[in-house]
């Protein structure tokens, strides 16, 4: 989700926790969202503007006037938060890394009783293929098995 969030800057995970930097799925992989994948990220969300605006329900992001400079600033911020351990944004990439299929996020939850909030999106083409359900299933399992959270708030789907 590429909009400003106002969360406390406290680490989401304890200092001793080894944050997973990658995940290998069936026909895709995860990598931290950062400058190395800015082109893939930009192309993915710009190809699915209407779909993503409906998905997020805000109607604000993405919008047609986003520039590559805006995109770079955004992913640099995501990478800074990843390194600071305050939130974790992953690009969901094809196995060769040449294209992005969507994104997965772990952030602080605003709701009491939750350790973290998880959300994701996929491009319109991937949504139509049913990939969102596959990714959601895989991410639920991955978070349960590899992350230290007991109670995760998952997005509305």
């Amino acid at each position: 989700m590429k909009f400003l969030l106002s969360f406390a800057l406290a680490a989401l995970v304890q200092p001793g926790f080894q944050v997973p930097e990658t995940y290998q799925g069936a026909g895709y992989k995860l990598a931290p969202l950062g400058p190395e994948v800015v082109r893939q990220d930009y192309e993915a969300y710009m190809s699915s503007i209407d779909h993503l605006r409906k998905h997020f329900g805000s109607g604000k992001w993405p919008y047609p006037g986003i520039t590559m400079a805006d995109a770079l600033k955004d992913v640099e911020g995501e990478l800074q938060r990843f390194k600071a351990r305050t939130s974790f944004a992953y690009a969901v990439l094809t196995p060769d890394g040449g294209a992005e299929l969507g994104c997965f996020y772990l952030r602080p939850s605003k709701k009491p009783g939750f350790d973290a909030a998880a959300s994701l999106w996929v491009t319109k083409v991937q949504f139509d293929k049913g990939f969102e359900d596959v990714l959601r299933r895989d991410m639920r399992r991955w978070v349960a098995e590899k992350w230290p959270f007991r109670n995760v708030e998952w997005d509305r789907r």
Side-chain angles (χ1 to χ4, degrees):
M1 296 186 305
K2 311 276 191 217
F3 36 85
L4 295 176
L5 299 171
S6 57
F7 294 122
L9 295 178
L12 188 57
V13 294
Q14 295 299 315
F17 177 70
Q18 182 67 37
V19 174
E21 297 239 348
T22 61
Y23 174 87
Q24 195 70 42
Y28 71 95
K29 66 180 181 179
L30 265 59
L33 193 56
E36 298 81 13
V37 295
V38 67
R39 178 192 54 80
Q40 296 93 320
D41 188 50
Y42 180 80
E43 289 173 358
Y45 62 74
M46 293 305 280
S47 75
S48 298
I49 291 174
D50 291 338
H51 166 71
L52 292 173
R53 289 176 116 178
K54 288 176 190 171
H55 175 84
F56 292 123
S58 69
K60 296 179 183 177
W61 181 87
Y63 53 90
I66 297 173
T67 66
M68 187 58 77
D70 296 331
L72 181 59
K73 184 176 179 180
D74 181 61
V75 297
E76 287 173 338
E78 293 288 6
L79 188 57
Q80 286 177 340
R81 289 184 289 279
F82 194 104
K83 289 178 179 180
R85 303 164 69 87
T86 59
S87 70
F88 304 95
Y90 292 89
V92 180
L93 302 166
T94 55
D96 67 1
E100 184 180 275
L101 309 174
C103 285
F104 175 67
Y105 305 89
L106 282 170
R107 302 191 188 280
S109 175
K110 292 182 178 181
K111 294 183 180 178
F114 289 98
D115 302 320
S119 62
L120 58 88
W121 62 265
V122 299
T123 63
K124 174 73 167 112
V125 169
Q126 294 304 313
F127 180 83
D128 290 346
K129 292 179 180 179
F131 179 62
E132 181 176 309
D133 294 334
V134 171
L135 181 61
R136 185 174 311 281
R137 181 197 66 225
D138 290 353
M139 294 299 94
R140 282 182 177 270
R141 185 174 56 244
W142 184 54
V143 169
E145 292 174 359
K146 300 294 184 184
W147 290 82
F149 309 122
R150 292 185 183 150
N151 197 15
V152 176
E153 172 193 4
W154 287 86
D155 60 5
R156 66 187 181 279
R157 293 184 178 210

